[in-house]
């Protein structure tokens, strides 16, 4: 059973905008498909990967 959390999955600015009608093209502008670690701080992420469904997250097969 999956319970919905209050926080939405992290998405990039581009994909957040792209979810609005009329901005769908912005999905192509998002390249945040990997976690970006903060230098010298392995446990801290500078920027999290975009979890927008347009990237097909969860599967890395190609
Ligand atoms: Zn997207
Ligand atoms: Zn994205």
């Amino acid at each position: 059973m999956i319970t919905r959390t209050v926080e939405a999955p992290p998405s990039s600015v581009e994909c957040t905008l792209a979810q609005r009608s009329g901005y769908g093209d912005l999905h192509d502008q998002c390249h945040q498909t990997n976690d970006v670690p903060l230098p010298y701080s392995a446990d801290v992420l500078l920027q999290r990967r975009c979890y927008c469904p347009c990237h097909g997250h969860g599967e890395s097969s190609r």
Side-chain angles (χ1 to χ4, degrees):
M1 200 69 179
I2 299 175
T3 55
R4 294 184 65 86
T5 55
V6 178
E7 292 186 33
S11 296
S12 67
V13 176
E14 288 86 352
C15 282
T16 300
L17 264 176
Q19 290 169 14
R20 298 176 179 226
S21 60
Y23 290 90
D25 289 345
L26 285 178
H27 281 298
D28 294 334
Q29 303 295 319
C30 175
H31 301 288
Q32 187 62 45
T33 55
N34 290 301
D35 289 332
V36 179
L38 188 68
Y40 313 114
S41 298
D43 294 338
V44 180
L45 289 178
L46 181 63
Q47 188 170 27
R48 301 202 56 176
R49 59 173 286 190
C50 176
Y51 277 81
C52 179
C54 79
H55 302 298
H57 61 83
E59 299 284 337
S60 62
S61 62
R62 174 177 285 194

